[in-house]
Amino acid sequence: MQNPRLASRYAKSLIDIAQEQNALEAVLDDMELIQQICQSNHDFVLMLKSPVVKSDKKMAILHTVLDGRVQPVTMGFINLLVNKGREFYLPEIVEAFSTQYKELKHIRTVNLTTAVAIDDNVKKLIFDKVTASIADGHVELNTFVNEDLIGGFTLEVDDKLFDASIRRDLNDIKQQFTKNLFVADM
């Protein structure tokens, strides 16, 4: 039931309304809260997507969960979604909002994956290097641990992947042996 075009349009509308009311940062916090709720509570997402649960019941649940925790503009937006029968797209709209917000504020997401957890000093050093190499905008650094890398790291910036892992080196060596480049011509 993914509909990225619909999610993108609703997210853009919410950004526009939030900017008009000077509440963009507050609405971003609301979207992050809703994203946390969706990620931590699978039943909440199932309720949103269920055709059996009536819209008035969904609205009551959403008010119970979100009233007092989100901005009026966000609550009004959610009311609109429920009235239009689009509430099952809420998790997707939240993701689209986050993406569009980052584009608007020129925030670039960088994913650093290492074989073992790294300390804050190394993380800051890498953050500073990446920030210096990216001229336009701010950097958001996400760190992950993947033991399959064996050692080294991978760094994802936009659509570029810098792979300095032991796993990649071993795969390169495996390819060289598979091609048998070391056998002399007879």
Side-chain angles (χ1 to χ4, degrees), residues 25 56 74 93 131 153:
E25 302 300 323
D56 59 334
T74 305
I93 293 168
T131 304
F153 66 92

Side-chain angles (χ1 to χ4, degrees), residues 96-133:
F97 182 92
S98 176
T99 302
Q100 290 180 19
Y101 175 84
K102 288 177 183 178
E103 288 174 15
L104 181 70
K105 296 292 186 176
H106 304 289
I107 298 172
R108 310 229 349 239
T109 301
V110 176
N111 294 323
L112 172 67
T113 307
T114 57
V116 295
I118 57 174
D119 63 3
D120 290 336
N121 293 333
V122 174
K123 201 180 300 185
K124 181 170 177 10
L125 179 69
I126 292 171
F127 178 79
D128 291 342
K129 290 279 188 188
V130 171
T131 304
S133 70

Side-chain angles (χ1 to χ4, degrees), residues 179-186:
K179 291 179 183 175
N180 206 6
L181 298 175
F182 301 107
V183 174
D185 291 331
M186 303 232 182

Side-chain angles (χ1 to χ4, degrees), residues 16-29:
D16 291 343
I17 293 169
Q19 284 180 317
E20 286 176 13
Q21 296 186 5
N22 293 326
L24 186 60
E25 302 300 323
V27 172
L28 174 67
D29 293 340

Side-chain angles (χ1 to χ4, degrees), residues 20-52:
E20 286 176 13
Q21 296 186 5
N22 293 326
L24 186 60
E25 302 300 323
V27 172
L28 174 67
D29 293 340
D30 296 345
M31 293 294 112
E32 289 172 352
L33 171 69
I34 293 169
Q35 187 174 34
Q36 288 173 356
I37 291 170
C38 289
Q39 289 174 347
S40 66
N41 192 339
H42 187 64
D43 291 336
F44 180 78
V45 176
L46 289 176
M47 179 272 306
L48 289 174
K49 294 182 178 187
S50 174
V52 176

